[in-house]
Every structure is written in C-alpha cells, then in structure tokens.
Amino acid sequence: MSRRVPLVLFLLGVTSCAGDGVVSMVGGPPPSNAPTLTSLQSSIFSPKCAVPGCHTAPAPEQGMDLTEGHTYAFTIGVDSNELSGFKRVVPGDAADSYLYMKLAGDPRIVGERMPFGGMLTAAEIESVKQWIDAGAQNN
C-alpha cells in the first residue's frame, strides 16, 4: 500500500504540469520562441553578411552564400572551409557551429571575427545562437 502512494503522487504531478510549459512524458518539449531564419535573413544575413565582396554571388567568401534563399543550403551541415572538424551550422548546437563561433569571436576560430569590419550587437548574436540551438529550422 505504501509503495502505491508515491507512484500516484508522481503521476498526478506529471499530468498536472502538462499544460503549463513543462515537458510532459508524452508531449515533448514546449514550443520554441526562437527567431526564424526569415527574421535573421532580413535583419542580419542580408544587410550585414551578403554584401558585395563578402557572402554573395558570384564568388562568395569561403564558398558560403548568405543571400536570401541560399543561406540554409550553404550553412546547415556544411563543413567549415576554415577549420576542419566543424560544420558551419550544427542544428541544436550553436557552441560548436562555426558560423556562430565566427560571429561571437570564439577563440577557436581561424581568421577574423565576422562580419568583417564590424560586429553584431549582443542581441543579434544571441538571436543566431537561439535559432541554431532551437534546431536551425528553414523557416
């Protein structure tokens, strides 16, 4: 009899939390409010990275085209040209995504911190981090 009480209390606790943002045993993680690729494209990648002489056609730096409609294909799961062993973007892992490392000025990077000639704000860098950590969706 005494063994059933803790199990019942546990199950009541799990089911009572299911609707308030806590991960339930069957519901999966709560929805993410991470930035979208579309929002990052318009606020960061297009105006600050996909500029003449940088990450735009016909010859994007490091072979990484960050123009609208190309960013996802040129970053997700693509090997870094500068530092072997790293992908440009590893969905769910900003800390080991070379794109984020370059923006944040991680000590492991090769060459200059990006964007060349200027830095993003802490909020902009955090937005890229959140997008990657949330799975780097093509949204």
Side-chain angles (χ1 to χ4, degrees), residues 9-101:
L9 291 175
F10 171 75
L11 291 173
L12 285 173
V14 170
T15 58
S16 68
C17 295
D20 64 4
V22 176
V23 176
S24 73
M25 293 185 76
V26 294
S32 172
N33 61 351
T36 63
L37 177 57
T38 301
S39 68
L40 294 174
Q41 187 69 53
S42 65
S43 65
I44 298 171
F45 298 133
S46 287
K48 300 178 180 188
C49 306
V51 296
C54 289
H55 297 287
T56 187
E61 286 293 318
Q62 297 297 324
M64 184 168 58
D65 186 344
L66 295 178
T67 58
E68 187 172 353
H70 295 101
T71 300
Y72 191 82
F74 280 84
T75 59
I76 306 302
V78 176
D79 291 334
S80 162
N81 287 353
E82 279 189 337
L83 189 58
S84 66
F86 285 93
K87 301 285 184 191
R88 290 175 177 166
V89 173
V90 178
D93 187 7
D96 284 327
S97 292
Y98 200 65
L99 174 69
Y100 172 73
M101 292 165 58

Side-chain angles (χ1 to χ4, degrees), residues 1-8:
M1 180 77 151
S2 64
R3 291 183 184 180
R4 291 183 183 178
V5 173
L7 177 61
V8 169

